[in-house]
Amino acid sequence: MFVAILLSSLVNALIAVLAHAVGAPKDFAPLKLSSYVSLTALGVLAGAAGWALVRRFSRDSERLLRRLVPSVVVVSFVPDFTQFGKGEVTGVVALLLMHVAVAVIAVSAYRRIMLLGSVR
């Protein structure tokens, strides 16, 4: 999981730099390194726990995860939409992209580390 956290944090750093370059407010707290690195780590670890639970208890974990992962990502967008006043459109779009990037990287790691169908 460390590699997924590191890679996700690097991609998020790139997104934050690009967002600031195109106009996101410099003082927008969610685009500060200390904010997104800790939340990235938390998200990757929470996702791993969820993946492990689904893998362990679902009869068709692949099918369930195919539906659950996008749903969880969309739900994770909700707090970002409350940030329009502080982060403006550019900052909020950057946060949304960060969620998607972390999900793509984390799911790739989970698929390699916690193979589906190998539990039972």
Side-chain angles (χ1 to χ4, degrees):
M1 289 308 110
F2 176 75
V3 173
I5 293 169
L6 180 64
L7 185 56
S8 294
S9 295
L10 290 171
V11 170
N12 283 347
L14 177 62
I15 292 169
V17 167
L18 292 173
H20 287 304
V22 297
K26 299 293 182 199
D27 62 344
F28 185 44
L31 293 183
K32 294 195 180 292
L33 184 71
S34 58
S35 293
Y36 63 77
V37 168
S38 59
L39 291 171
T40 295
L42 183 64
V44 170
L45 294 174
W51 187 278
L53 287 171
V54 168
R55 183 176 172 248
R56 171 71 178 102
F57 294 109
S58 176
R59 291 183 186 184
D60 190 353
S61 56
E62 180 121 20
R63 181 172 178 247
L64 178 58
L65 287 165
R66 214 176 298 122
R67 293 179 181 188
L68 188 60
V69 170
S71 299
V72 169
V73 171
V74 169
V75 169
S76 79
F77 291 165
V78 172
D80 297 344
F81 289 119
T82 67
Q83 299 293 318
F84 275 112
K86 297 175 186 171
E88 301 173 5
V89 172
T90 308
V92 171
V93 168
L95 294 178
L96 299 174
L97 291 173
M98 287 177 164
H99 285 251
V100 173
V102 170
V104 168
I105 293 165
V107 166
S108 178
Y110 305 153
R111 285 191 168 280
R112 287 184 173 89
I113 296 168
M114 296 182 278
L115 301 174
L116 298 176
S118 65
V119 174
R120 295 183 193 261

